[in-house]
């Protein structure tokens, strides 16, 4: 590469989701509805937790931060996807593509760490209730959150370090509606098989490793509760079911993207839409469905908002 970035590609072209007008209209309605629902649902959780003193606890602090991250997740690719649906020429600048990749991995990496922290929070709350507020002190919560963001940023910059100096000198068509590393690397004007493997293995191992850490931690919590009490098992199952559902929704598409040996363009796009639009909407629904305190706080905030107007 003689020390100079030989990239001459100034923009990338997305093939999009479909050329059928009817499917585009359906996708436009579906994506727009769930994107707005994701924004409103996650904003509602953030403002409800912030404004209600009854929710100023470690669990709700972490939940509010998860919703904040989901606001980022649903805003990285979905708005441009919706905007591009009826455009014939769907493009993104080179710098815009790099920015999308940076935020996808920064927010995704941070959310992985946060989900692990939330599992630890539930372990302490259920298995060591007398020490809960001592262990999960406000100082510890802010420190953990800072560490999560730092690790997410490190992961993202490490991923970009692989591709930022690759030469892009001709092909610029991406069979997708957003930029991500696996497809972008294939457009480079150099041999990239080893680099594709390294990048895919990096994200794949992190996703699979984090997923198994979370599942094992939830199993450990259930085993611990079962040993000490039989009456609390059903309540614990009810509490953890929401966490496990969110973990599966978050990690499922990621593990498929980076570890499935037989890539399918159509399935990849379906899972990408699910991950970009539907998962950020489902997270607040899942966490508040059985949570009376959260629902009460949300009703209270909405009432205050209406009364203020």
């Amino acid at each position: 590469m003689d020390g100079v970035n030989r990239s001459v590609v100034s923009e990338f072209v997305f093939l999009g989701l479909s050329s059928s007008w009817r499917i585009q209209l359906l996708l436009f309605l579906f994506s727009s509805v769930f994107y707005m629902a994701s924004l409103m649902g996650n904003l509602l959780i953030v403002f409800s937790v912030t404004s209600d003193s009854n929710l100023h606890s470690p669990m709700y602090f972490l939940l509010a931060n998860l919703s904040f991250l989901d606001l980022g997740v649903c805003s990285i690719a979905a708005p441009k996807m919706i905007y591009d649906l009826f455009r014939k020429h769907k493009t993104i600048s080179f710098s815009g593509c790099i920015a999308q990749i940076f935020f996808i991995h920064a927010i995704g990496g941070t959310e992985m760490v946060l989900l692990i922290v939330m599992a630890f929070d539930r372990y302490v709350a259920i298995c060591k209730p007398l020490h809960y507020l001592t262990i999960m002190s406000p100082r510890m919560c802010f420190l953990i959150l800072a560490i999560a963001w730092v690790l997410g940023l490190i992961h993202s910059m490490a991923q970009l370090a692989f591709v930022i100096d690759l030469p892009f000198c001709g092909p610029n068509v991406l069979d997708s509606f957003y930029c991500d590393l696996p497809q972008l690397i294939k457009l480079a004007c150099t041999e990239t098989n080893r680099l594709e493997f390294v990048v895919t293995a990096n994200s794949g191992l992190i996703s699979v490793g984090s997923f198994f850490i979370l599942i094992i931690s939830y199993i450990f919590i259930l085993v611990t509760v079962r040993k000490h009490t039989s009456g609390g098992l059903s309540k614990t199952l009810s509490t953890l079911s929401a966490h496990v559902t969110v973990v599966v929704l978050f990690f499922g598409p990621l593990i498929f993207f980076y570890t499935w040996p037989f890539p399918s363009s159509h399935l990849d796009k379906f899972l990408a839409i699910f991950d970009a639009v539907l998962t950020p909407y489902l997270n607040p629904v899942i966490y508040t469905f059985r949570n009376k305190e959260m629902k009460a706080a949300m009703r209270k905030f909405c009432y205050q908002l209406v009364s203020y107007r």
Side-chain angles (χ1 to χ4, degrees):
M1 292 192 195
D2 57 23
V4 179
N5 189 342
R6 303 197 301 272
S7 298
V8 295
V9 172
S10 61
E11 65 179 18
F12 294 99
V13 178
F14 294 137
L15 291 184
L17 296 166
S18 174
S19 57
S20 167
W21 187 86
R22 290 183 179 180
I23 294 177
Q24 286 178 342
L25 180 59
L26 183 64
L27 286 169
F28 176 80
L29 295 173
F30 173 85
S31 301
S32 298
V33 168
F34 280 103
Y35 174 62
M36 293 306 299
S38 298
L39 285 180
M40 291 187 290
N42 285 294
L43 280 172
L44 187 56
I45 286 180
V46 171
F47 287 127
S48 297
V49 171
T50 305
S51 63
D52 195 325
S53 58
N54 294 322
L55 300 184
H56 291 176
S57 67
M59 183 181 78
Y60 292 111
F61 172 80
L62 296 173
L63 177 59
N65 278 281
L66 179 67
S67 288
F68 178 77
L69 288 171
D70 279 336
L71 286 169
V73 170
C74 70
S75 299
I76 293 170
K80 178 160 179 57
M81 177 195 73
I82 294 168
Y83 172 71
D84 281 345
L85 275 171
F86 296 110
R87 296 179 71 209
K88 288 185 177 180
H89 198 54
K90 306 171 177 62
T91 62
I92 187 170
S93 66
F94 183 87
S95 58
C97 187
I98 296 298
Q100 260 195 355
I101 292 171
F102 173 80
F103 284 113
I104 285 171
H105 287 273
I107 293 176
T110 304
E111 190 160 337
M112 282 186 195
V113 179
L114 188 63
L115 287 170
I116 292 172
V117 173
M118 292 176 77
F120 175 73
D121 172 76
R122 289 301 83 205
Y123 165 74
V124 177
I126 293 169
C127 301
K128 298 181 182 293
L130 297 178
H131 304 285
Y132 178 62
L133 293 178
T134 303
I135 297 172
M136 297 299 293
S137 63
R139 181 180 178 182
M140 179 59 71
C141 288
F142 281 108
L143 177 63
I144 289 172
L145 182 63
I147 291 171
W149 273 104
V150 169
L151 290 176
L153 290 171
I154 290 173
H155 166 68
S156 182
M157 289 187 286
Q159 293 289 82
L160 282 179
F162 289 118
V163 298
I164 197 69
D165 288 324
L166 283 177
F168 295 95
C169 51
N172 69 336
V173 178
L174 292 165
D175 188 12
S176 183
F177 61 88
Y178 73 105
C179 287
D180 201 6
L181 287 172
Q183 290 200 30
L184 184 65
I185 290 172
K186 291 176 182 177
L187 298 181
C189 301
T190 186
E191 201 283 319
T192 59
N193 288 335
R194 185 177 296 178
L195 184 57
E196 284 181 55
F197 174 78
V198 171
V199 169
T200 303
N202 183 6
S203 293
L205 284 173
I206 292 172
S207 300
V208 173
S210 300
F211 177 74
F212 279 109
I213 288 172
L214 285 162
I215 295 301
I216 290 169
S217 67
Y218 289 132
I219 292 172
F220 181 76
I221 292 171
L222 291 173
V223 171
T224 304
V225 171
R226 188 176 181 182
K227 283 182 180 179
H228 290 85
T229 175
S230 58
L233 187 60
S234 59
K235 185 179 179 181
T236 303
L237 277 170
S238 176
T239 302
L240 295 184
S241 62
H243 291 265
V244 173
T245 305
V246 168
V247 166
V248 171
L249 288 173
F250 178 79
F251 283 98
L254 290 180
I255 291 172
F256 182 88
F257 288 145
Y258 293 110
T259 63
W260 188 247
F262 310 107
S264 166
S265 167
H266 297 295
L267 188 56
D268 282 352
K269 289 178 183 180
F270 169 77
L271 289 174
I273 295 172
F274 185 88
D275 198 38
V277 179
L278 205 56
T279 300
Y281 162 75
L282 289 174
N283 284 354
V285 172
I286 291 165
Y287 275 119
T288 58
F289 182 65
R290 295 182 180 177
N291 194 317
K292 294 180 180 179
E293 288 181 327
M294 193 71 238
K295 286 191 282 190
M298 291 166 76
R299 281 195 295 267
K300 180 181 176 182
F301 177 77
C302 290
Y303 177 76
Q304 289 174 341
L305 196 64
V306 172
S307 299
Y308 179 76
R309 286 182 176 179

